Amino acid sequence: MDDPKNPLLPRSRAIGTPPSSLTPSKMRIANLPKKTPLRSWIRVDASSGASCSVSLDKVTVMRRCNLPARDLRLLDPLFVYPSTILGREKAIVLNFEKIRCIITADELLVSVKGFSGNAPAGDEWDYVEEVQRRLASRSDDLPFEFVAMEVALEATCAYLDAQAAELEIEAYPLLDELTSKISTLNLERARRLKSKLVALTRRVQKVRDEIEHLMDDDEDMAELYLTEKKHSIESFYTEHGILGGPGLSVSAPTSPVDSPTSTSAGLKRLERNFSFARSSRHESSRSVETEKRDIEEMEMLLEAYFVVVDNTLNKLMSLKEYIDDTEDFINIQLDNVRNQLIQFELLLSTATFIVAIFGVVAGIFGMNFAIPLFDIPEAFNWVLGISGMTGIIIFCGFLWYFKRRRLIPL
């Protein structure tokens, strides 16, 4: 028990009684869930093509499109993720360069950079306007998700190809100038150019790999047929007497007053309908994946833009090869200059050795002792001539040796 005389020990309180510092109002505030920030989206209706700006939080988008939280992270404008196409049960999550969107059979949700209230208009609206134009001029029965994906692929391929063209316009004159004049400024510009080329090549390669991955897997392409899956599920609900989707059955009790037995039976029947409809969704999804159906439209769509992005990648690879050839040419030039310097240094060392012979002769005759040669007036000319001829002969001997050994191209 607590000691009332000891002020250091806390006073006892009844079990379950909240501390005095937490009033009921404060406890209610503390138990409130934290609100997720609203993000700006552009919504395009699949049937009418009408667009509007909406503000939705993350949880609402997850429930609306039946997506896990990890898929929505790909659309977060605060982070940079590589290009991705994810086919889910009811939606397609698409992250291509500047286009981040969720495509369903009924609508298109385009993520706008920034949160609610401060989202500027930009490339997202251009994408939305193009989708609306395609929907208005659509003459065939192409599904809505195909139209949205085609516009996204076309915009992404055009954007990457334009960046590749700008890089080519900047690169070729710079590399030609670098081959004629090697300077620190030109080398620094070439280094920055190669960094941009590597980054752009990585992005184009990622887009190409994503499209190729879809083309290689028929099940992944089948997952992209959202409208067909929706119609299959709706027809399944209609055939089995399930109204309004899973969980609502015509056999459910409608009387406001039921006995406990009938209420329990009704609840059990509703639970069976929920589980039956939920299992039917998975069975329908599996049947869409496994049955032999025509996916040529999606395959042709992906193949067309695969050729475009592959052509862009080939341009970048050609530019990279040109940069590598320029680097090899510059290295050859530098090696040539280095070899010339080495040859000049070799000749200079040989000449220094010849001059040193005169120094040896001068040192010998500069010694402080008397010899009869000092009394002959022509002795200096003879010593100078003999020393010079000896130096020339030795120098010519070195040159002959260097030529024979191919050390100096003479």
Side-chain angles (χ1 to χ4, degrees):
M1 296 179 62
D2 299 333
D3 189 2
K5 297 182 180 179
N6 192 350
L8 298 179
L9 295 178
R11 295 180 180 272
S12 61
R13 63 173 184 268
I15 299 176
T17 304
S20 59
S21 59
L22 291 178
T23 62
S25 60
K26 291 183 178 179
M27 291 182 64
R28 287 195 297 270
I29 295 175
N31 293 331
L32 288 176
K34 295 182 179 179
K35 293 184 178 180
T36 56
L38 297 177
R39 284 175 50 187
S40 296
W41 300 80
I42 304 174
R43 181 184 179 276
V44 181
D45 187 74
S47 57
S48 64
S51 64
C52 62
S53 297
V54 294
S55 297
L56 302 173
D57 59 356
K58 188 175 182 180
V59 178
T60 303
V61 176
M62 291 169 56
R63 294 174 179 173
R64 187 168 183 162
C65 303
N66 195 15
L67 291 174
R70 63 177 179 272
D71 291 348
L72 293 183
R73 295 192 191 101
L74 300 175
L75 308 179
D76 196 337
L78 300 179
F79 300 96
V80 178
Y81 291 97
S83 298
T84 308
I85 302 177
L86 298 178
R88 298 306 185 210
E89 182 181 358
K90 293 184 179 180
I92 299 173
V93 180
L94 195 146
N95 176 21
F96 269 170
E97 294 297 321
K98 295 186 177 182
I99 300 176
R100 303 183 181 189
C101 62
I102 301 175
I103 306 172
T104 65
D106 301 320
E107 63 181 358
L108 168 67
L109 293 176
V110 182
S111 176
V112 183
K113 294 181 180 179
F115 294 96
S116 177
N118 61 348
D123 298 323
E124 296 85 1
W125 280 107
D126 296 337
Y127 169 63
V128 169
E129 291 175 357
E130 182 63 22
V131 171
Q132 291 176 323
R133 190 185 67 81
R134 297 285 180 90
L135 290 176
S137 61
R138 181 174 53 174
S139 59
D140 51 2
D141 56 349
L142 194 65
F144 171 73
E145 62 270 16
F146 280 32
V147 176
M149 275 196 62
E150 182 179 7
V151 175
L153 288 170
E154 181 179 349
T156 302
C157 293
Y159 174 71
L160 294 175
D161 190 70
Q163 284 200 331
E166 292 178 1
L167 200 61
E168 284 181 331
I169 295 174
E170 180 186 359
Y172 287 112
L174 173 60
L175 296 176
D176 294 339
E177 181 182 358
L178 185 60
T179 55
S180 59
K181 181 182 179 181
I182 302 175
S183 62
T184 304
L185 179 61
N186 290 337
L187 289 174
E188 178 63 23
R189 291 172 59 191
R191 185 191 66 82
R192 291 197 299 265
L193 176 68
K194 189 172 183 180
S195 300
K196 291 194 293 185
L197 175 63
V198 171
L200 182 58
T201 304
R202 188 182 299 113
R203 289 157 50 197
V204 174
Q205 183 70 46
K206 181 58 179 175
V207 175
R208 180 184 180 275
D209 292 343
E210 284 295 320
I211 298 177
E212 186 178 15
H213 173 71
L214 285 176
M215 293 174 59
D216 293 340
D217 197 331
D218 293 344
E219 293 184 358
D220 289 344
M221 282 193 290
E223 282 288 343
L224 304 181
Y225 283 77
L226 302 180
T227 303
E228 186 174 340
K229 288 193 293 184
K230 177 187 174 184
H231 292 165
S232 300
I233 294 175
E234 289 178 351
S235 62
F236 182 86
Y237 289 154
T238 304
E239 291 174 2
H240 292 79
I242 303 175
L243 301 179
L248 297 177
S249 174
V250 294
S251 61
T254 58
S255 175
V257 179
D258 284 325
S259 63
T261 306
S262 62
T263 303
S264 176
L267 290 176
K268 291 181 180 179
R269 191 158 49 246
L270 285 176
E271 289 179 359
R272 285 197 301 269
N273 289 335
F274 266 100
S275 60
F276 180 71
R278 193 178 299 113
S279 63
S280 67
R281 284 190 302 176
H282 296 294
E283 291 174 1
S284 175
S285 299
R286 287 195 297 268
S287 64
V288 169
E289 293 176 359
T290 55
E291 67 180 6
K292 299 290 185 178
R293 56 196 195 84
D294 190 12
I295 56 175
E296 290 184 359
E297 291 182 353
M298 177 58 69
E299 189 173 6
M300 291 174 61
L301 175 66
L302 295 175
E303 186 177 358
Y305 291 100
F306 177 80
V307 173
V308 175
V309 75
D310 189 64
N311 184 36
T312 303
L313 183 61
N314 290 334
K315 290 181 182 179
L316 296 176
M317 297 305 296
S318 299
L319 181 58
K320 183 178 182 299
E321 292 178 358
Y322 193 82
I323 292 178
D324 293 339
D325 294 341
T326 304
E327 289 180 350
D328 295 338
F329 180 75
I330 291 174
N331 290 331
I332 292 174
Q333 281 187 326
L334 294 177
D335 291 340
N336 185 31
V337 173
R338 190 180 300 110
N339 292 335
Q340 291 178 356
L341 290 176
I342 293 174
Q343 294 170 6
F344 178 75
E345 183 181 3
L346 187 60
L347 292 177
L348 189 60
S349 300
T350 305
T352 304
F353 175 74
I354 301 303
V355 174
I357 295 177
F358 288 91
V360 172
V361 174
I364 293 174
F365 283 95
M367 294 181 180
N368 192 12
F369 61 90
I371 57 176
L373 190 61
F374 290 161
D375 298 333
I376 303 174
E378 294 84 4
F380 176 76
N381 295 331
W382 282 99
V383 171
L384 185 62
I386 293 173
S387 300
M389 290 298 298
T390 304
I392 293 173
I393 293 172
I394 295 175
F395 186 75
C396 292
F398 274 112
L399 292 181
W400 175 80
Y401 176 77
F402 293 154
K403 181 180 180 181
R404 184 177 180 181
R405 301 290 296 183
R406 297 181 179 178
L407 299 177
I408 298 178
L410 295 175

